């Protein structure tokens, strides 16, 4: 069994939605998530927009405080640590965002952007830092000629390379990649995915790879977690997703992916309607208003818990 | 039905002349979906806006867009208004910005009915609920009194499609109609467009960057790159026998939904970036990224018909064809 790098226990994050007059209702962005990330693996996290993927990613890196539950990184509860210990652990985990532009200070040159992590963590002297920056830049496929340019002078794909370079600077173990290729054109997307795979192999990185695109997730994940309205509804090794007996929501997601194959017969939409508002969650199984299989009373009355079916495969559905 | 011939669009900008569309020819037939696919900035939206002449005055247009025996580029503003919305309608990517946030759905649907069908206010309101029914709005009467922000993205897009269809157009241009939507909603909207095309005999120009959408929804495809159509053919031919190096690269870049293979490995992809449209390269626009480049590629490539109705803008295919012709002569 490989080492567990990160684990969450009943992790919850609620937001109070501000109302005009009084305190508004509670929005359960992440609700009772239990998952583990193993050293060296890529765990894919899929789900539609607003299901809580980014919030979960921020919680895992202690960039957001949980409302309930805990996150353990290398055995330590991230939200109970003294600040200096947390700072040490932070070096070992980094994040890559969808839109690198908004996360890169537009007034800093590439050199300063990439030096900053070393400065913050007081690593190396001036010359060492220079050498490291050049090295890391080459690692992501950019050259020393880019050092004195500003982020706006780069294309979307190149900016994402800068985002990756910054995340890589401190040689982290875990990288949360939040929709890293969603804003990119498909030919550039392929370049960035290749880079992420290459870096993982070279540095034994562990990824939490967040995406709404199942094809992208299927490309590089060892295990996949499917999220719906703040909860993990399915979690298992990739091979499981080629089989039948999946969570009805996963089945619907899979059938909705438009495949680049015109001989595939027309797939009538699996689901009717829209996901319900995360503020007024349906009773019972949160998926029941849209679920084509929700025939049981239980579906409307009882929240299904994540249960192991076969080894390592977990489903939250009364019928599975 | 719609015949675009050698359409070119150039923008006068502070930094110089930008050639957004560099001579595009396309045709659209009744009851058919033509997929226009390409990466961002390749000129898809500009092409669509040129058809409706909705481009700003900094745009310089040339070529011909024939529709109902007229050249849309030569039409008077007044004639154009009749065509726009009445015979050719358009749906955009972002359903929120296309709706007025301070008017109810009913106001806006009724307004478009009044405008295009000359109905009175009373008649228009009565018709409005009926107009919302074919696009699959669950409770048309309730939605009429709602404001755009009270609807989900998917429902808003349905409202916009209903408004576009209110005047019974011949042609529907849908520019990335599902890009802002989740996949399960996307599949609902695509199924709706296919159904409407069949039921109403519409001609649909479906613009998208997503090859999967094209494969599932289009009858024919045109692949666009840097303002030019690079390859066009039936969807089946194009996906089963892609001939242009760009089409091949694009298809190889798409990650496959595949859980049986081990993860990782490299995607083929396409090296490099799109050319600068202020100074397009000499000869083939794809030259700088193409692995099949030959000295001939410094001249503008010719159109080659590789199979009936399957055309490619590439020297490679020309060379192949010449080679085949020569060898068949020797046989
Ligand atoms: N800071 C916040 N305040 C209030 N609501 C939030 C905040 N951040 C996220 N949310 C809400 O939490 C839910 C999950 O959001 P997010 O994690 O961004 O989803 P995803 O990344 O899957 O699209 C959404 O309904 C979102 O509106
Ligand atoms: N109003 C405009 N003025 C100047 N350039 C424009 C204008 N509209 C579009 N462009 C340019 O034309 C090119 C094609 O744009 P567009 O048709 O929107 O691409 P697509 O829809 O394929 O993503 C881009 O380089 C874009 O920057
Ligand atoms: S518990 Fe019931 S409603 Fe929920 S996914 Fe399973 S069958 Fe559907
Ligand atoms: S014309 Fe030449 S450079 Fe252009 S795509 Fe064909 S082979 Fe490549
Ligand atoms: Mg997100
Ligand atoms: Mg566009």
């Amino acid at each position: 069994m490989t080492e567990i790098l990160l684990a969450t226990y009943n992790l919850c994050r609620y937001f109070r939605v501000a109302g005009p007059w009084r305190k508004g209702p509670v929005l359960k962005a992440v609700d009772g998530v239990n998952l583990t990330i193993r050293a060296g693996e890529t765990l894919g996290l899929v789900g539609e927009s607003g299901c809580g993927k980014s919030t979960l990613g921020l919680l895992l890196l202690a960039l957001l405080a949980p409302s309930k539950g805990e996150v353990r990184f290398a055995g330590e509860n991230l939200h109970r640590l003294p600040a200096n210990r947390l700072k040490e652990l932070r070096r070992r985990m980094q994040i890559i965002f969808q839109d690198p532009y908004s996360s890169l200070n537009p007034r800093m040159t590439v050199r300063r952007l990439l030096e900053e992590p070393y400065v913050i963590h007081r690593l190396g002297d001036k010359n060492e830092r220079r050498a490291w920056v050049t090295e890391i830049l080459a690692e992501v496929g950019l050259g020393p000629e880019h050092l004195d340019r500003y982020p706006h002078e780069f294309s979307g794909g190149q900016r994402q390379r800068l985002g990756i370079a910054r995340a890589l600077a401190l040689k982290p173990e875990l990288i949360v990649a939040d929709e890293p290729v969603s804003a990119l054109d498909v030919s550039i997307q392929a370049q960035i995915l290749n880079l992420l795979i290459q870096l993982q192999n070279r540095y034994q990185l562990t990824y939490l790879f967040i995406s709404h695109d199942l094809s992208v997730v299927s490309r590089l994940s060892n295990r996949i977690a499917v999220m719906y309205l703040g909860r993990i509804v399915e979690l298992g090794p990739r091979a499981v997703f080629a089989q039948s007996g999946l969570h009805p929501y996963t089945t619907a997601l899979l059938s909705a992916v438009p495949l680049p194959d015109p001989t595939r017969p027309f797939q009538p939409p699996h689901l009717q309607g829209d996901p319900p508002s995360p503020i007024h969650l349906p009773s019972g199984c949160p998926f029941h208003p849209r679920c084509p299989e929700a025939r049981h009373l239980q579906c409307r009355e009882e929240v299904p818990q994540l249960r192991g079916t076969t080894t390592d495969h977990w489903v939250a559905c009364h019928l599975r | 039905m719609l015949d675009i011939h050698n359409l070119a669009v150039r923008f006068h900008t502070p930094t110089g002349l930008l050639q957004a569309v560099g001579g595009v020819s396309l045709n659209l037939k009744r009851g058919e979906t033509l997929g226009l696919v390409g990466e961002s900035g390749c000129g898809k939206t500009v092409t669509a806006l040129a058809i409706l002449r909705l481009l700003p005055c900094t745009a310089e247009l040339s070529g011909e867009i024939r529709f109902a025996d007229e050249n849309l580029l030569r039409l008077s503003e007044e004639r154009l208004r009749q065509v726009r919305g009445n015979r050719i309608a358009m749906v955009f990517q972002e359903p929120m910005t296309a709706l007025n946030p301070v008017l109810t759905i009913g106001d806006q649907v009724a307004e478009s009915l009044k405008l295009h069908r000359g109905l009175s206010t009373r008649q228009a309101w009565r018709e409005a609920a009926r107009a919302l029914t074919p696009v699959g709005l669950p409770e048309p009467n309730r939605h009429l009194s709602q404001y755009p922000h009270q609807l989900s993205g998917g429902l808003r897009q349905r409202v916009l499609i209903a408004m576009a269809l209110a005047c019974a157009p011949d042609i529907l241009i849908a520019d990335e109609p599902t890009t802002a939507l989740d996949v399960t909603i996307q599949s609902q909207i695509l199924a709706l467009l296919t159904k409407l095309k069949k039921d109403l005999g519409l001609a649909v120009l479906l613009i998208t960057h997503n090859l999967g959408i094209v494969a599932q929804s289009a009858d024919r495809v045109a692949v666009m790159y840097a303002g030019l159509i690079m390859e066009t053919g039936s969807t089946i031919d194009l996906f089963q026998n892609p001939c242009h190096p760009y089409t091949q690269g694009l298809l190889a870049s798409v990650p496959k939904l595949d859980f049986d293979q081990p993860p990782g490995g490299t995607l083929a992809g396409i090296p490099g970036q799109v050319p600068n449209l202020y100074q397009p390269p000499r000869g083939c626009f794809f030259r700088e990224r193409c692995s099949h480049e030959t000295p001939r590629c410094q001249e503008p490539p010719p159109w080659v018909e590789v199979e009936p109705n399957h055309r490619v803008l590439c020297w490679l295919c020309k060379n192949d064809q010449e080679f085949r012709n020569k060898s068949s002569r020797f046989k």
Side-chain angles (χ1 to χ4, degrees):
Chain A
M1 202 55 187
T2 40
E3 179 203 346
I4 288 176
L5 185 60
L6 183 143
T8 73
Y9 301 90
N10 188 34
L11 189 62
C12 302
R13 173 68 205 213
Y14 305 151
F15 292 108
R16 199 171 276 285
V17 187
W21 293 288
R22 55 195 162 84
K23 274 192 179 173
V26 166
L27 183 154
K28 297 185 172 179
V30 169
D31 196 15
V33 165
N34 294 299
L35 57 77
T36 54
I37 303 180
R38 298 169 189 165
E41 79 168 343
T42 299
L43 176 65
L45 179 62
V46 282
E48 296 178 285
S49 60
C51 71
K53 304 182 295 298
S54 297
T55 306
L56 181 56
L58 296 175
L59 287 170
L60 295 192
L61 299 187
L63 296 169
L64 193 67
S67 308
K68 258 195 265 176
E70 59 187 59
V71 180
R72 288 183 173 273
F73 180 83
E76 298 186 68
N77 184 346
L78 286 184
H79 300 280
R80 286 279 153 73
L81 289 176
N84 58 348
R85 180 72 189 133
L86 183 60
K87 192 174 166 190
E88 274 169 46
L89 285 185
R90 278 250 167 84
R91 266 180 67 181
R92 298 166 58 185
M93 40 183 163
Q94 294 292 325
I95 188 160
I96 303 170
F97 293 103
Q98 164 172 355
D99 176 14
Y101 200 53
S102 60
S103 59
L104 298 173
N105 184 338
R107 275 183 290 276
M108 282 189 176
T109 60
V110 167
R111 188 193 303 282
R112 280 192 56 209
L113 279 169
L114 295 185
E115 267 177 14
E116 196 184 43
Y118 303 119
V119 175
I120 292 176
H121 287 275
R122 298 185 193 187
L123 298 173
D125 59 29
K126 209 167 171 200
N127 288 332
E128 277 174 313
R129 285 176 195 162
R130 295 218 144 183
W132 290 339
V133 165
T134 319
E135 197 182 314
I136 214 91
L137 209 55
E139 202 74 87
V140 298
L142 295 172
E145 71 274 17
H146 296 112
L147 276 172
D148 295 309
R149 301 209 194 144
Y150 291 88
H152 74 263
E153 297 176 65
F154 292 86
S155 67
Q158 285 176 321
R159 269 183 221 146
Q160 196 52 287
R161 288 178 192 270
L162 289 177
I164 294 172
R166 234 174 99 96
L168 218 56
L170 300 170
K171 301 260 179 315
E173 290 156 61
L174 172 69
I175 292 186
V176 170
D178 189 356
E179 308 261 11
V181 297
S182 303
L184 303 176
D185 276 319
V186 59
S187 69
I188 308 300
Q189 176 178 309
Q191 296 173 9
I192 298 295
L193 289 176
N194 286 342
L195 176 64
L196 288 172
I197 292 168
Q198 216 177 41
L199 293 171
Q200 179 171 43
N201 293 338
R202 191 167 313 150
Y203 298 109
Q204 286 84 46
L205 293 169
T206 305
Y207 287 145
L208 176 72
F209 189 90
I210 300 177
S211 177
H212 67 279
D213 185 338
L214 252 173
S215 305
V216 171
V217 165
S218 84
R219 182 72 207 176
L220 67 177
S221 305
N222 303 96
R223 291 190 305 142
I224 296 168
V226 181
M227 207 167 172
Y228 189 74
L229 287 176
R231 295 171 162 271
I232 304 289
V233 296
E234 185 147 38
L235 172 63
R238 58 186 288 112
V240 161
F241 291 82
Q243 296 163 8
S244 56
L246 297 172
H247 190 284
Y249 178 63
T250 309
T251 309
L253 269 189
L254 283 168
S255 82
V257 176
L259 298 184
D261 173 12
T263 58
R264 184 203 199 197
F266 173 71
Q267 305 280 316
H270 237 74
L271 298 184
Q272 303 302 317
D274 294 291
S277 144
I279 300 173
H280 307 287
L281 284 182
S283 65
C285 173
F287 187 52
H288 90 253
R290 300 175 83 200
C291 180
E293 297 183 40
R295 277 174 235 104
H296 290 243
L297 199 57
Q298 226 184 349
C299 294
R300 266 175 288 142
E301 293 184 343
E302 197 183 317
V303 182
Q305 298 302 320
L306 209 52
R307 276 192 321 241
T309 56
T310 57
T311 7
D312 222 17
H313 177 208
W314 304 77
V315 190
C317 171
H318 295 307
L319 301 192
R320 297 286 185 270
Chain B
M1 174 141 261
L2 182 77
D3 211 341
I4 304 176
H5 187 70
N6 213 10
L7 172 72
V9 181
R10 297 196 288 175
F11 288 103
H12 295 271
T13 72
T15 24
L17 205 59
L18 181 141
Q19 178 167 311
V21 177
V24 156
S25 299
L26 288 174
N27 61 70
L28 202 56
K29 303 187 181 82
R30 181 175 284 283
E32 174 191 74
T33 299
L34 172 66
L36 182 58
V37 68
E39 297 179 281
S40 59
C42 72
K44 306 181 296 292
T45 299
V46 169
T47 303
L49 295 177
I51 297 173
L52 293 171
R53 291 217 350 234
L54 289 172
L55 288 168
C57 58
T58 53
E60 178 189 309
L61 280 81
S62 66
E64 213 180 337
I65 302 179
R66 295 213 75 82
F67 174 70
D69 293 325
E70 287 179 293
N71 180 357
L72 295 186
L73 294 186
R74 291 271 143 70
L75 240 44
S76 70
E77 198 53 44
E78 192 188 340
R79 233 356 242 118
L80 197 64
R81 257 198 303 276
Q82 292 169 357
V83 170
R84 221 187 264 153
N86 270 334
R87 315 231 14 216
I88 306 180
M90 187 156 172
V91 176
F92 297 90
Q93 167 173 350
E94 204 5 273
M96 192 59 203
T97 51
L99 289 165
N100 186 334
V102 300
L103 294 178
T104 64
I105 300 298
D107 286 330
Q108 305 191 51
V109 176
E111 193 54 40
S112 81
L113 287 169
K114 269 160 60 180
L115 194 72
H116 295 303
R117 284 212 226 143
L119 302 182
S120 70
T121 308
R122 281 256 302 287
Q123 287 171 321
W125 267 91
R126 221 176 303 140
E127 274 294 302
R130 204 178 312 168
L132 290 183
T133 313
V135 297
L137 279 173
E139 305 159 74
N141 283 311
R142 190 165 69 85
H143 296 311
L144 285 178
S145 59
Q146 287 180 315
Y147 289 91
H149 74 267
Q150 295 174 302
L151 299 183
S152 66
L155 290 184
R156 283 198 289 261
Q157 197 56 287
R158 286 173 193 267
V159 168
L160 283 173
I161 294 173
M163 284 166 63
L165 296 177
C167 52
D170 302 305
I171 297 174
L172 180 68
I173 301 175
D175 187 3
E176 306 265 5
T178 60
T179 303
L181 306 175
D182 277 321
V183 281
T184 61
I185 311 299
Q186 166 169 285
S187 85
Q188 296 171 9
I189 298 288
L190 291 176
L192 171 67
L193 285 176
T194 304
K195 180 173 180 300
L196 292 170
K197 174 194 76 174
K198 276 207 201 94
D199 294 355
L200 308 175
L202 284 176
V204 180
L205 178 62
L206 178 64
I207 296 177
T208 174
H209 66 280
N210 186 323
L211 286 158
I213 290 180
V214 165
Q216 289 199 346
S217 304
D219 303 297
R220 283 190 304 131
V221 186
V223 179
M224 200 166 181
Y225 182 77
L228 293 175
I229 305 293
M230 293 291 176
E231 178 161 7
T232 156
S234 76
T235 308
I236 297 272
D237 287 347
L238 197 121
F239 277 81
Q240 293 191 337
N241 180 25
C243 292
H244 196 286
Y246 177 61
T247 316
Q248 292 170 352
L250 209 50
L251 282 168
S253 303
V254 182
K256 306 287 176 293
L257 186 66
D258 181 352
F259 300 101
D260 295 325
Q261 299 295 318
T266 40
L267 278 168
I270 307 175
Q273 298 169 33
V274 292
N276 178 346
L277 292 176
Y278 288 101
Q279 289 156 333
R282 215 149 54 84
C284 174
F285 284 9
F286 188 58
R287 194 156 58 87
E288 289 157 346
R289 304 175 76 184
C290 181
S291 54
H292 301 281
E293 193 199 346
T294 62
R296 236 179 159 177
C297 303
Q298 304 206 7
E299 303 296 321
W303 276 106
V304 184
E305 186 151 28
V306 288
E307 41 190 341
N309 294 316
H310 182 179
R311 280 183 285 272
V312 187
L313 188 69
C314 174
W315 281 115
L316 182 70
C317 302
K318 183 74 179 170
N319 296 347
D320 279 355
Q321 198 177 47
E322 285 170 357
F323 179 76
R324 268 200 309 275
N325 288 347
K326 239 183 260 158
S327 41
S328 65
R329 229 178 295 145
F330 281 119
K331 251 186 244 157

